[in-house]
Structures are given as C-alpha cells and as structure tokens.
Amino acid sequence: MALLKVAANSADNSQTLDDRSALPAGNYLAHIVKSEMKATKAGTGHYLSLHFKVLEGECAGRMIFANLNLDNPNSTAVEIATKELNSICNACDMQDVTDSEDLHQIPMVLTVKVDPATAQWPEGNSITAYAPE
C-alpha cells in the first residue's frame, strides 16, 4: 500500500494528461520554456535538453523537445549540436550566449517533421530548422 500526499482525481486535483501524439509536420511559432544540461545515459557526456512551447494555432500549448549533445565523445554529434544551438541563437537574435536561460521566452519559428514510429518509440517530432519570428 502507498499513501498518496494528494488525493488523486479529486475536486482539487483533476487534471489529466495533455495530448502527447506527434504534431503534424509544419512551421510553429514557439519559445523555450525550460532548458537544462543532463548527463548522457552512458555517463560519457552531457546534452542540453530544451522544451519548446507552441504559442499559437491548433497546437497552441503543446510541447516540442530537442536534445543537443554539446559534450560527447562523438565529435560529429557535438558539431551538429553546436550548429543547432547557433541556429537557435540566430533565431532569437542573440550573440555570445553563455546561459541557456537567456534564450527562454523568445518567440521563434520551428520547422518540425514527423519521425515514424519504431519498435522502441512511438511516432514523434524532430525540429529541422529555427527561424526568427
């Protein structure tokens, strides 16, 4: 038995999960609402985890995620992640960024594609481009 600190599905706690299906491919006005460096599963590097929130349209309020392998033994992964982060900075019109929080709440246009489901993962999204609002 496990005692819950808050009663589930009660008058004070009745929210349910939002839609977690993949967004349709297209362009979305969004901004970063959360960013943090996390260790890789292998423990050999770190990645910048970014959470984007869609700001308008049918998908307003939905989230899109990106992970940038900025510290990784694979130099190609680091090169790709660095280019992606620089593209985000350009879309935000920011230079010399040293804290990812400086990129929060700045609207930009994300070009999103749909990644097909695999045996391990359901259908999802990837960001293929970042542009100024």
Side-chain angles (χ1 to χ4, degrees):
M1 177 168 75
L3 294 177
L4 305 175
K5 290 183 180 184
V6 177
N9 204 27
S10 65
D12 295 330
N13 177 20
S14 61
Q15 291 183 325
T16 58
L17 286 175
D18 294 329
D19 184 0
R20 291 187 176 181
S21 62
L23 278 68
N27 293 324
Y28 294 92
L29 183 65
H31 64 201
I32 297 170
V33 295
K34 182 178 179 183
S35 62
E36 64 181 310
M37 288 298 287
K38 295 183 175 182
T40 60
K41 285 182 184 179
T44 58
H46 297 85
Y47 63 93
L48 179 62
S49 171
L50 299 172
H51 298 209
F52 293 86
K53 185 175 185 178
V54 176
L55 298 174
E56 61 186 26
E58 287 183 24
C59 295
R62 299 278 307 276
M63 302 296 288
I64 304 171
F65 306 95
N67 294 326
L68 310 182
N69 289 296
L70 295 171
D71 171 27
N72 193 289
N74 181 330
S75 62
T76 301
V78 173
E79 179 183 350
I80 292 167
T82 300
K83 288 178 180 179
E84 191 166 353
L85 182 56
N86 290 341
S87 296
I88 293 167
C89 290
N90 286 336
C92 293
D93 195 27
M94 297 287 290
Q95 300 291 318
D96 300 315
V97 175
T98 57
D99 185 341
S100 63
E101 196 166 319
D102 293 342
L103 301 170
H104 290 203
Q105 309 302 320
I106 300 174
M108 67 187 88
V109 177
L110 309 179
T111 301
V112 175
K113 73 174 188 170
V114 176
D115 299 321
T118 66
Q120 184 179 7
W121 300 103
E123 185 177 70
N125 291 117
S126 293
I127 303 169
T128 60
Y130 304 85
E133 177 183 18

